[in-house]
Amino acid sequence: MNWLNNHAEFIKGLLAASGGIFITFLDFIMPIARALLVLVTLIYTCWKFYQDYKKNKRATDGNN
């Protein structure tokens, strides 16, 4: 416990620095993550519309 008391300021400084690095990293990565999320959502939506189109086309082709 004495070691912890002797190095408390150093440990607090390390924690503050690592927190700052983490926040900076999040600030850098969030626009990229947001763009990827939009891209995946668009691809998924197009895929679902295509699946519905294929299913409906197959159903209407059988009726003719």
Side-chain angles (χ1 to χ4, degrees):
M1 194 58 136
N2 194 21
W3 179 87
L4 186 62
N5 289 334
N6 290 340
H7 295 87
E9 291 298 320
F10 177 71
I11 293 171
K12 283 195 293 188
L14 281 179
L15 288 174
S18 63
I21 290 170
F22 181 71
I23 289 171
T24 302
F25 178 73
L26 281 180
D27 192 37
F28 169 74
I29 202 76
M30 284 308 288
I32 297 168
R34 192 175 297 124
L36 284 175
L37 181 64
V38 168
L39 184 66
V40 167
T41 303
L42 286 173
I43 290 171
Y44 177 76
T45 304
C46 291
W47 177 254
K48 290 309 268 183
F49 273 116
Y50 175 70
Q51 292 296 320
D52 286 345
Y53 168 76
K54 223 168 47 169
K55 184 172 62 174
N56 290 335
K57 184 169 174 42
R58 204 175 309 133
T60 57
D61 284 347
N63 292 336
N64 291 336

